[in-house]
Amino acid sequence: MMHSVHTTLLYSVEALQEIVQWKRILKLQSPDGSSLSSPAITAVAYMKTGDSKSLEYLTNIVQRFRDHAPSQYPIDLVERIWAIDTIEILGIHHFKQDINLLDPILLY
């Protein structure tokens, strides 16, 4: 599943490096070159694949923050994904319209 849709499981790919199919993960890459807007995940993806879009995203992060990298950039993305996952797991359908509004933001 983690190779086909954006899911919070993707935040664990660094620990699962040996079983991840990195070329398939790159299909989930955002237009800015990041993997789930995470410099760490994007760095591992770059190291495993040599993908130029990943390197471009990482270069942008280094230029923007100079002496550090945030765990997420843009920063609020992880909160959105966790909220949607929780709502869907709980089977709450009351927020379906709100989730649909966020889908383009989350799924690019």
Side-chain angles (χ1 to χ4, degrees), residues 15 21-22 29-32 43 46-47 54-55 68 71 77 89 103 108:
Q21 297 173 12
W22 289 100
Q29 188 178 52
S30 70
D32 68 2
Y46 173 69
M47 290 187 297
S54 297
L55 179 59
H68 70 281
S71 62
L77 183 65
I89 288 168
D103 278 345
Y108 307 99

Side-chain angles (χ1 to χ4, degrees), residues 1 3-4 8 12 86 104:
M1 179 171 186
H3 294 98
S4 58
T8 52
S12 302
T86 302

